[in-house]
Amino acid sequence: MGVFCNKDSRPKSRDLEREVMSMAQTGNNLNQENICGCCRTKNTPRSEKELRQLQNRLNRMIGQLNGISRMLDENRYCGDILTQVAAVESALQNFGYLVLAEHMETCVAEEIRNGNDQIMEEVIELVKKLK
């Protein structure tokens, strides 16, 4: 049983998670037939420049997290660690906003042009998750 949806009935993330777990237990592979194109694929590919910028931001955050780990190992002052935690949280928040903006400018705009007004429900849920 695959996860199928149309523009009127999108799977909830828990439904998708259950399906993935079920497929892993049965040895089935998750492929494009199991996830509909309207929910999980990107119609507009990222440019090399955009991808490189996002990867660079992500790599900087990974470096910051590794730095926090070293600070713990060195038993550094709690205030210094918390300052770094706040920096990573801010960087991650900004990263999420960049991805959301790109999503809205490409995928969401395309879905609206195609007459899918329900895409706004997804956008609202994504914005709630990022706040």
Side-chain angles (χ1 to χ4, degrees):
M1 173 175 84
V3 174
F4 294 99
C5 69
N6 58 39
K7 293 181 182 186
D8 295 325
S9 64
R10 294 169 184 255
K12 301 292 184 213
S13 61
R14 275 183 254 138
D15 293 338
L16 182 58
E17 184 178 315
R18 275 191 225 112
E19 185 67 22
V20 170
M21 293 301 290
S22 170
M23 294 175 84
Q25 291 171 350
T26 61
N28 292 334
N29 291 327
L30 184 63
N31 56 38
Q32 281 306 108
E33 294 172 7
N34 300 109
I35 302 175
C36 81
C38 66
C39 303
R40 301 288 179 221
T41 61
K42 182 164 178 44
N43 296 325
T44 307
R46 290 180 178 93
S47 71
E48 287 292 320
K49 180 182 176 184
E50 290 170 321
L51 184 59
R52 189 172 50 254
Q53 288 173 337
L54 289 172
Q55 287 291 350
N56 287 341
R57 283 177 175 262
L58 191 58
N59 288 335
R60 278 194 298 272
M61 286 182 281
I62 291 168
Q64 286 177 300
L65 289 171
N66 288 332
I68 292 170
S69 178
R70 283 190 302 278
M71 291 174 83
L72 289 172
D73 291 341
E74 296 167 2
N75 199 27
R76 297 273 298 272
Y77 180 64
C78 297
D80 293 341
I81 295 171
L82 291 172
T83 298
Q84 291 304 309
V85 168
V88 172
E89 286 178 334
S90 177
L92 188 57
Q93 189 80 34
N94 289 328
F95 180 86
Y97 288 142
L98 283 174
V99 174
L100 177 64
E102 179 186 348
H103 179 57
M104 292 180 72
E105 292 168 357
T106 56
C107 304
V108 173
E110 183 175 333
E111 287 296 316
I112 290 172
R113 281 192 297 275
N114 290 336
N116 179 8
D117 295 332
Q118 291 182 340
I119 191 72
M120 292 311 294
E121 292 173 22
E122 175 188 300
V123 171
I124 290 167
E125 290 304 311
L126 290 172
V127 169
K128 285 179 185 177
K129 288 178 183 179
L130 284 177
K131 63 177 182 165

